Protein backbone atom coordinates (compact mmCIF):
# COMPACT_ATOMS: atom_id res chain seq x y z
CA UNK A 1 0.00 0.00 0.00
CA UNK A 2 1.41 3.43 -0.89
CA UNK A 3 2.15 5.97 1.83
CA UNK A 4 -0.40 8.33 0.28
CA UNK A 5 -3.10 5.70 0.67
CA UNK A 6 -2.01 5.09 4.28
CA UNK A 7 -2.22 8.84 4.95
CA UNK A 8 -5.73 8.85 3.50
CA UNK A 9 -6.71 5.92 5.73
CA UNK A 10 -5.19 7.56 8.81
CA UNK A 11 -7.14 10.77 8.10
CA UNK A 12 -10.33 8.78 7.63
CA UNK A 13 -9.82 6.90 10.93
CA UNK A 14 -9.05 10.17 12.70
CA UNK A 15 -12.22 11.77 11.39
CA UNK A 16 -14.35 8.79 12.38
CA UNK A 17 -12.88 7.87 15.74
CA UNK A 18 -10.68 10.61 17.25
CA UNK A 19 -13.37 11.82 19.66
CA UNK A 20 -14.04 8.31 20.95
CA UNK A 21 -10.33 7.50 21.16
CA UNK A 22 -9.66 10.72 23.06
CA UNK A 23 -12.30 9.58 25.56
CA UNK A 24 -10.54 6.29 26.35
CA UNK A 25 -9.54 6.45 30.04
CA UNK A 26 -5.85 7.29 30.32
CA UNK A 27 -5.46 8.11 26.61
CA UNK A 28 -4.79 11.83 27.18
CA UNK A 29 -2.18 11.09 29.84
CA UNK A 30 -0.43 8.53 27.62
CA UNK A 31 -0.43 10.94 24.68
CA UNK A 32 1.10 13.68 26.85
CA UNK A 33 3.72 11.23 28.12
CA UNK A 34 4.54 10.20 24.56
CA UNK A 35 4.88 13.83 23.47
CA UNK A 36 7.08 14.46 26.47
CA UNK A 37 9.36 11.55 25.57
CA UNK A 38 9.61 12.83 21.99
CA UNK A 39 10.65 16.25 23.31
CA UNK A 40 13.15 14.69 25.71
CA UNK A 41 14.69 12.79 22.77
CA UNK A 42 14.98 16.06 20.87
CA UNK A 43 16.55 17.72 23.91
CA UNK A 44 19.24 15.03 24.07
CA UNK A 45 19.83 15.32 20.32
CA UNK A 46 20.09 19.11 20.62
CA UNK A 47 22.55 18.85 23.51
CA UNK A 48 24.69 16.51 21.44
CA UNK A 49 24.48 18.78 18.37
CA UNK A 50 22.86 16.13 16.18
CA UNK A 51 20.05 18.09 14.48
CA UNK A 52 22.55 20.23 12.60
CA UNK A 53 24.45 17.15 11.42
CA UNK A 54 21.29 15.27 10.43
CA UNK A 55 19.58 18.23 8.76
CA UNK A 56 22.72 19.18 6.86
CA UNK A 57 23.04 15.62 5.60
CA UNK A 58 19.34 15.23 4.84
CA UNK A 59 19.06 18.44 2.83
CA UNK A 60 22.51 18.46 1.20
CA UNK A 61 22.97 14.89 0.06
CA UNK A 62 21.02 13.89 -3.05
CA UNK A 63 18.42 11.34 -1.97
CA UNK A 64 18.23 12.74 1.56
CA UNK A 65 21.08 10.80 3.17
CA UNK A 66 19.41 8.62 5.82
CA UNK A 67 16.06 10.21 4.91
CA UNK A 68 15.67 8.47 1.56
CA UNK A 69 12.38 8.29 -0.38
CA UNK A 70 11.72 4.63 0.45
CA UNK A 71 11.47 5.27 4.19
CA UNK A 72 8.11 7.06 4.03
CA UNK A 73 6.75 3.88 2.41
CA UNK A 74 7.65 1.92 5.56
CA UNK A 75 5.28 3.99 7.71
CA UNK A 76 2.14 2.25 8.88
CA UNK A 77 -1.31 3.75 9.23
CA UNK A 78 -1.20 3.63 13.04
CA UNK A 79 1.96 5.72 13.29
CA UNK A 80 0.48 8.21 10.85
CA UNK A 81 -2.71 8.28 12.91
CA UNK A 82 -0.66 9.07 16.03
CA UNK A 83 0.80 12.07 14.19
CA UNK A 84 -2.72 13.35 13.56
CA UNK A 85 -3.31 13.37 17.33
CA UNK A 86 -0.30 15.73 17.43
CA UNK A 87 -1.87 17.88 14.68
CA UNK A 88 0.93 17.07 12.22
CA UNK A 89 0.15 18.22 8.68
CA UNK A 90 1.47 15.72 6.11
CA UNK A 91 2.98 17.11 2.93
CA UNK A 92 1.47 16.05 -0.39
CA UNK A 93 4.85 16.05 -2.09
CA UNK A 94 8.43 15.81 -0.79
CA UNK A 95 10.04 19.21 -0.24
CA UNK A 96 13.32 17.83 -1.58
CA UNK A 97 12.93 15.73 -4.71
CA UNK A 98 14.22 12.17 -4.22
CA UNK A 99 14.00 12.45 -0.41
CA UNK A 100 11.53 11.14 2.14
CA UNK A 101 8.04 12.59 1.80
CA UNK A 102 8.22 13.71 5.45
CA UNK A 103 11.48 15.60 5.14
CA UNK A 104 10.51 19.28 5.34
CA UNK A 105 12.70 22.27 4.59
CA UNK A 106 14.46 22.11 7.96
CA UNK A 107 14.07 18.46 8.91
CA UNK A 108 11.47 15.83 9.66
CA UNK A 109 7.90 17.13 9.96
CA UNK A 110 6.66 14.14 11.97
CA UNK A 111 6.45 13.85 15.75
CA UNK A 112 5.53 10.15 15.98
CA UNK A 113 8.27 8.40 14.04
CA UNK A 114 8.92 4.86 12.91
CA UNK A 115 11.51 2.98 14.98
CA UNK A 116 14.12 3.17 12.20
CA UNK A 117 13.92 6.96 12.20
CA UNK A 118 14.25 7.12 16.01
CA UNK A 119 16.99 4.50 16.36
CA UNK A 120 19.22 4.78 13.34
CA UNK A 121 22.61 6.32 13.96
CA UNK A 122 25.01 6.62 11.05
CA UNK A 123 28.78 6.23 11.41
CA UNK A 124 29.21 10.02 11.22
CA UNK A 125 27.31 10.22 14.51
CA UNK A 126 28.62 7.10 16.25
CA UNK A 127 32.23 8.08 15.53
CA UNK A 128 31.68 11.53 17.07
CA UNK A 129 29.96 10.55 20.32
CA UNK A 130 31.45 9.05 23.46
CA UNK A 131 30.11 5.78 24.84
CA UNK A 132 28.31 7.74 27.57
CA UNK A 133 26.67 10.07 25.05
CA UNK A 134 25.60 7.15 22.87
CA UNK A 135 24.16 5.46 25.96
CA UNK A 136 22.13 8.55 26.85
CA UNK A 137 20.83 8.83 23.33
CA UNK A 138 19.84 5.19 22.91
CA UNK A 139 18.26 5.02 26.38
CA UNK A 140 16.08 8.02 25.60
CA UNK A 141 15.21 6.61 22.16
CA UNK A 142 14.11 3.45 23.97
CA UNK A 143 11.83 5.44 26.28
CA UNK A 144 10.30 7.22 23.29
CA UNK A 145 9.72 3.95 21.45
CA UNK A 146 8.22 2.34 24.53
CA UNK A 147 5.73 5.23 24.84
CA UNK A 148 4.93 4.84 21.11
CA UNK A 149 4.40 1.10 21.51
CA UNK A 150 1.93 1.68 24.37
CA UNK A 151 -0.01 4.19 22.29
CA UNK A 152 -0.12 1.87 19.30
CA UNK A 153 -1.46 -0.91 21.49
CA UNK A 154 -4.32 1.25 22.71
CA UNK A 155 -5.17 2.40 19.17
CA UNK A 156 -4.96 -1.10 17.74
CA UNK A 157 -7.21 -2.55 20.44
CA UNK A 158 -9.80 0.20 20.00
CA UNK A 159 -9.84 0.06 16.21
CA UNK A 160 -10.05 -3.72 15.98
CA UNK A 161 -12.98 -3.55 18.42
CA UNK A 162 -14.66 -1.29 15.83
CA UNK A 163 -14.14 -3.89 13.12
CA UNK A 164 -11.25 -2.09 11.42
CA UNK A 165 -9.28 -4.94 9.79
CA UNK A 166 -5.78 -5.34 11.33
CA UNK A 167 -4.15 -5.29 7.89
CA UNK A 168 -5.58 -1.81 7.32
CA UNK A 169 -3.46 -0.57 10.23
CA UNK A 170 -0.10 -1.81 8.94
S1 LIG B 1 10.24 10.13 8.49
FE1 LIG B 1 11.48 11.86 9.08
S2 LIG B 1 13.32 11.01 10.05
FE2 LIG B 1 12.29 9.34 8.95
S3 LIG B 1 13.30 9.28 6.95
FE3 LIG B 1 11.49 10.60 6.74
S4 LIG B 1 12.23 12.68 7.13
FE4 LIG B 1 13.80 11.26 7.86
Amino acid sequence: MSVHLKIKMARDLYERFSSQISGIPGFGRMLRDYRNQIHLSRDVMNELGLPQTCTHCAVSIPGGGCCGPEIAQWYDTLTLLLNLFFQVDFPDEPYYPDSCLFLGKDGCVLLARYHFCVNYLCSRITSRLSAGELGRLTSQSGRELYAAWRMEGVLRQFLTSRAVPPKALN
Side-chain angles (χ1 to χ4, degrees):
M1 197 189 309
S2 76
V3 66
H4 286 99
L5 186 52
K6 288 185 236 181
I7 287 173
K8 186 172 177 303
M9 289 176 64
R11 284 181 172 141
D12 176 58
L13 291 172
Y14 187 80
E15 199 174 306
R16 287 165 64 198
F17 297 121
S18 60
S19 305
Q20 291 175 59
I21 291 171
S22 298
I24 295 173
F27 182 82
R29 182 177 39 76
M30 286 173 66
L31 193 65
R32 281 193 298 280
D33 178 57
Y34 182 28
R35 185 194 282 268
N36 189 37
Q37 294 301 337
I38 293 167
H39 285 306
L40 287 172
S41 296
R42 293 202 172 172
D43 287 347
V44 175
M45 289 182 72
N46 282 330
E47 282 172 39
L48 299 176
L50 300 188
Q52 297 89 322
T53 307
C54 295
T55 302
H56 171 76
C57 209
V59 305
S60 311
I61 293 185
C66 304
C67 297
E70 67 281 4
I71 296 171
Q73 305 297 330
W74 302 346
Y75 270 75
D76 55 45
T77 305
L78 270 189
T79 308
L80 297 170
L81 177 59
L82 274 172
N83 278 286
L84 293 177
F85 280 96
F86 291 135
Q87 280 75 52
V88 167
D89 199 12
F90 303 119
D92 293 326
E93 300 293 333
Y95 186 88
Y96 297 98
D98 301 328
S99 294
C100 176
L101 174 67
F102 303 124
L103 182 61
K105 181 171 182 290
D106 301 314
C108 185
V109 301
L110 301 182
L111 280 181
R113 291 183 305 150
Y114 185 64
H115 64 87
F116 173 83
C117 300
V118 177
N119 264 334
Y120 182 72
L121 298 171
C122 72
S123 57
R124 190 180 300 220
I125 290 172
T126 53
S127 63
R128 247 193 55 199
L129 300 182
S130 68
E133 288 170 331
L134 272 174
R136 268 186 74 204
L137 192 59
T138 53
S139 297
Q140 180 51 41
S141 296
R143 284 189 280 274
E144 177 183 334
L145 290 172
Y146 175 68
W149 173 77
R150 289 202 315 161
M151 296 296 309
E152 286 178 22
V154 171
L155 289 182
R156 196 176 287 279
Q157 190 177 29
F158 174 87
L159 293 168
T160 50
S161 77
R162 296 301 188 278
V164 176
K167 73 175 189 187
L169 304 176
N170 296 327

